[in-house]
């Protein structure tokens, strides 16, 4: 289990995270929703150990870290056991999409070419797999970034707005694949603005605003939210969509 | 009255000898400048106060002093003050190498400073070691970025190497001057010199263009 307890984080004196408690269970999909600036991406970066919180505790399975760390304490890097797909994707521009996906495996002499071929079929990537990232559309790059993370067989997968540039068909493909990944025992945390997507894919839903968790629970919180801020946000989303 | 090509043919041995000195000089300066320039550029990026700031100051000072003045200064007064006698060939290597090192270091440091950190983050979360991240992500991308500038600097070094003639290095420009003092046909002689420089510069520029085409395609995401 990947958990955080009472996580806080400040940037330039501004509180971005205020006492966040989350748990990502293996074999479950947790969806993080909330307005822009709520601290969702920061939380993902903290949970993936790309940034350290100012205080609180993060545990990955048997490894527990209390922040701030003691002066001589070192973090055992959790990557790619904990993997993250960024909103901006960050595919390496000098490598083709195929090379982007295979490089992290090749440096460790791991051959998963057959698995990649399955992903190529599944995500309809045959037409652009040997293109460079700047020759691919944003949707194609998004699929490539997801496949790069999945090919590493993470135990916990953190996805930041991965559906933002995908069409409905592609979202559906990802939805079905995420279900398969979840069923294989991977714990997934997704940041999304798509309430319908969250409704279909989630086992647990967390609503964040202003660095705090306002509400969390099962899918029912999308239908019957109790916190006034969540009610307002969801009603706006529904009226817009 | 000899034509340009007759001059080249008649004085080919002297001109080729001068050219070989020019190329030897440049080859040494190129290797020293590129290797140490990249090393200092990296150190300047890593240690901004300890190496980066002094490099910036040296770069600023060098940009303001004419190369000829530097060559003269290191050839005459510096040797008198230090009471040493150094061959003009070595003085030229020293001065032009410093210019090359500083220019390449500037280029490298700027490319590293502007390197998108997100690519390193992506490498980190994919489980790449710092060594693999440097060798397979940072270095290839930075190299692609600096390649055109790096080659331009080396062509510039070739062109300014003619200043070595003024401290008596027997390179091609000095050979041309000596031929001119014998037959006084400056237009034809310096035209032959231009041909020699073109012969050397064209393949270099061709290489620069080929490398640019091969490695520095537009990698920005639309």
């Amino acid at each position: 289990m990947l958990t955080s307890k009472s996580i806080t984080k400040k940037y330039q004196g501004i509180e971005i995270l205020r006492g966040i408690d989350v748990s990502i269970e293996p074999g479950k999909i947790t969806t993080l929703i909330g307005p822009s600036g709520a601290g969702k991406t920061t939380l993902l970066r903290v949970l993936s150990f790309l940034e350290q919180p100012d205080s609180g505790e993060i545990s990955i399975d048997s490894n527990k870290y209390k922040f701030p760390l003691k002066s001589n304490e070192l973090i055992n890097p959790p990557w790619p056991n904990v993997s993250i797909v960024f909103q901006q994707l960050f595919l390496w521009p000098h490598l083709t999409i195929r090379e982007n996906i295979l490089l992290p495996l090749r440096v460790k002499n791991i051959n998963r070419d057959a698995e990649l071929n399955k992903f190529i079929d599944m995500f309809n990537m045959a037409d652009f797999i040997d293109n460079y990232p700047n020759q691919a559309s944003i949707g194609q790059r998004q699929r490539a970034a997801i496949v790069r993370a999945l090919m590493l067989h993470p135990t916990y997968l953190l996805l930041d707005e991965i559906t933002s540039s995908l069409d409905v068909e592609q979202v559906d493909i990802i939805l079905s694949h995420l279900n398969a990944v979840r069923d294989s025992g991977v714990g997934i945390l997704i940041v999304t603005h798509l309430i319908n997507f969250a409704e279909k894919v989630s086992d647990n839903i967390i609503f964040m605003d202003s660095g705090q968790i306002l509400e969390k629970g099962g899918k029912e919180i999308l239908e019957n939210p109790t916190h006034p801020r969540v009610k307002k946000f969801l009603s706006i989303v529904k009226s817009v969509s | 009255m000899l034509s340009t090509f007759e001059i080249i043919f008649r004085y080919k041995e002297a001109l080729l000898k001068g050219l070989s000195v020019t190329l030897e000089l440049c080859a040494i300066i190129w290797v020293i400048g590129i290797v140490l320039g990249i090393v200092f550029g990296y150190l300047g990026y890593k240690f901004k106060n300890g190496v980066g700031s002094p490099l910036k100051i040296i770069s600023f000072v060098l940009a303001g002093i004419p190369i000829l003045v530097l060559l003269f200064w290191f050839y005459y007064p510096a040797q008198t003050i230090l009471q040493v006698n150094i061959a003009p060939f070595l003085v030229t290597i020293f001065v032009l190498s410093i210019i090359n090192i500083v220019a390449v270091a500037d280029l490298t440091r700027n490319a590293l400073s502007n390197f998108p950190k997100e690519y390193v983050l992506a490498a980190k979360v994919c489980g790449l070691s710092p060594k693999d991240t440097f060798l397979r992500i940072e270095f290839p991308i930075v190299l692609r970025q600096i390649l055109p500038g790096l080659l331009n600097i080396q062509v510039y070094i070739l062109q300014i190497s003619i200043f070595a003639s003024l401290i008596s290095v027997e390179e091609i420009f000095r050979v041309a001057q000596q031929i001119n003092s014998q037959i006084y046909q400056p237009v034809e002689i310096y035209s032959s010199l231009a041909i020699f420089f073109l012969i050397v510069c064209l393949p270099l520029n061709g290489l620069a263009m080929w490398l640019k085409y091969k490695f520095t395609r537009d990698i920005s995401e639309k």
Side-chain angles (χ1 to χ4, degrees):
Chain A
M1 184 117 73
L2 172 59
T3 59
S4 77
K5 275 186 195 164
S6 309
I7 289 296
T8 67
K9 177 85 183 165
K10 273 185 187 175
Y11 279 122
Q12 296 168 342
I14 300 166
E15 276 191 300
I16 308 294
L17 300 177
R18 307 176 190 197
I20 300 286
D21 295 346
V22 293
S23 298
I24 302 163
E25 298 169 49
K28 293 268 169 71
I29 296 179
T30 304
T31 310
L32 193 54
I33 54 175
S36 299
K40 306 185 295 289
T41 298
T42 305
L43 178 59
L44 251 61
R45 292 171 76 93
V46 165
L47 289 174
S48 58
F49 287 78
L50 290 174
E51 288 181 40
Q52 287 187 15
D54 297 330
S55 65
E57 200 177 286
I58 299 180
S59 312
I60 306 177
D61 302 327
S62 58
N63 294 321
K64 193 180 276 187
Y65 302 100
K66 198 165 185 176
F67 296 92
L69 294 174
K70 290 171 194 156
S71 57
N72 57 351
E73 194 179 0
L74 291 172
I75 289 175
N76 185 20
W79 319 294
N81 190 30
V82 176
S83 200
I84 179 167
V85 177
F86 301 97
Q87 191 174 3
Q88 290 89 358
L89 308 173
F90 308 143
L91 295 173
W92 302 302
H94 62 302
L95 302 177
T96 64
I97 286 173
R98 187 191 296 276
E99 290 166 340
N100 260 277
I101 294 168
L102 292 177
L103 176 68
L105 299 165
R106 285 199 174 142
V107 294
K108 291 174 184 163
N109 293 319
I110 299 169
N111 186 336
R112 288 187 190 148
D113 289 4
E115 190 179 346
L116 175 60
N117 289 334
K118 278 186 200 167
F119 279 122
I120 290 171
D121 285 343
M122 188 180 291
F123 285 96
N124 297 323
M125 295 169 69
D127 291 343
F128 62 89
I129 187 74
D130 292 310
N131 286 356
Y132 286 94
N134 72 329
Q135 296 167 329
S137 71
I138 180 76
Q140 291 170 338
R141 293 203 293 266
Q142 216 146 26
R143 281 178 274 168
I146 294 166
V147 171
R148 182 170 70 180
L150 290 175
M151 287 281 288
L152 296 168
H153 295 178
T155 311
Y156 301 99
L157 183 59
L158 314 180
L159 306 169
D160 191 3
E161 293 282 3
I162 51 151
T163 53
S164 59
S165 302
L166 300 180
D167 60 36
V168 183
E169 246 180 357
Q170 289 166 351
V171 170
D172 196 52
I173 292 170
I174 286 180
L175 187 75
S176 60
H177 191 70
L178 284 181
N179 284 327
V181 174
R182 180 232 337 250
D183 294 343
S184 70
V186 177
I188 302 173
L189 178 65
I190 307 174
V191 170
T192 185
H193 277 112
L194 300 178
I195 301 299
N196 286 344
F197 178 76
E199 203 164 10
K200 280 183 185 166
V201 81
S202 309
D203 296 301
N204 300 306
I205 291 173
I206 298 171
F207 185 92
M208 262 184 90
D209 191 16
S210 306
Q212 287 177 301
I213 292 177
L214 300 185
E215 194 158 346
K216 60 182 171 182
K219 287 176 189 178
E220 68 280 355
I221 70 163
L222 292 176
E223 287 305 317
N224 301 304
T226 53
H227 195 283
R229 177 72 184 101
V230 185
K231 275 183 190 172
K232 189 182 171 192
F233 180 82
L234 290 175
S235 71
I236 292 169
V237 170
K238 279 172 189 168
S239 66
V240 169
S241 59
Chain B
M1 190 82 172
L2 297 169
S3 71
T4 300
F5 290 103
E6 282 169 333
I7 288 172
I8 291 174
F9 189 74
R10 180 177 288 184
Y11 296 100
K12 62 179 182 294
E13 280 178 19
L15 286 167
L16 284 174
K17 199 177 169 199
L19 182 66
S20 76
V21 173
T22 296
L23 289 179
E24 190 187 350
L25 191 66
C26 287
I28 295 168
I29 297 163
W30 287 338
V31 172
I32 292 172
I34 290 172
V35 173
L36 291 184
I38 289 175
V39 169
F40 275 106
Y42 180 75
L43 292 174
Y45 163 71
K46 278 279 172 196
F47 309 103
K48 288 188 173 56
N49 293 329
V51 184
S53 298
L55 264 179
K56 274 185 194 169
I57 293 167
I58 294 170
S59 171
F60 179 78
V61 171
L62 283 182
I65 302 175
I67 292 149
L68 198 54
V69 173
L70 277 175
L71 271 175
F72 277 156
W73 198 87
F74 276 98
Y75 189 57
Y76 298 112
Q79 293 198 44
T80 310
I81 293 164
L82 298 171
Q83 294 200 321
V84 287
N85 190 11
I86 305 169
F89 187 81
L90 294 178
V91 173
T92 309
I93 288 176
F94 179 73
V95 171
L96 296 194
S97 291
I98 288 175
I99 292 168
N100 201 10
I101 289 167
V102 171
V104 173
D106 256 353
L107 192 70
T108 309
R109 198 188 63 237
N110 286 336
L112 284 168
S113 300
N114 296 326
F115 187 82
K117 303 289 177 286
E118 294 80 5
Y119 295 144
V120 176
L121 274 188
K124 220 182 222 186
V125 296
C126 284
L128 263 69
S129 66
K131 184 184 153 202
D132 283 328
T133 303
F134 179 73
L135 289 178
R136 292 168 184 271
I137 308 296
E138 286 178 285
F139 185 68
I141 294 175
V142 167
L143 189 65
R144 280 163 168 80
Q145 281 173 342
I146 67 170
L147 214 47
L150 193 65
L151 288 166
N152 286 339
I153 292 169
Q154 303 322 307
V155 171
Y156 171 69
I157 291 291
L158 174 69
Q159 288 165 350
I160 63 171
S161 70
I162 63 167
F163 288 121
S165 66
L166 298 167
I167 56 167
S168 312
V169 176
E170 297 285 334
E171 49 73 68
I172 192 164
F173 187 73
R174 186 164 173 86
V175 171
Q177 283 177 314
Q178 287 166 347
I179 296 169
N180 192 40
S181 67
Q182 287 175 28
I183 60 173
Y184 195 68
Q185 277 188 249
V187 174
E188 290 79 5
I189 288 169
Y190 291 118
S191 297
S192 69
L193 189 67
I195 290 170
F196 273 96
F197 267 88
L198 275 176
I199 289 169
V200 178
C201 282
L202 273 178
L204 268 181
N205 283 324
L207 177 69
M209 281 172 69
W210 180 77
L211 288 171
K212 196 173 175 181
Y213 169 76
K214 189 159 173 62
F215 293 118
T216 64
R217 64 192 175 74
D218 177 17
I219 55 173
S220 58
E221 290 185 7
K222 274 90 181 172

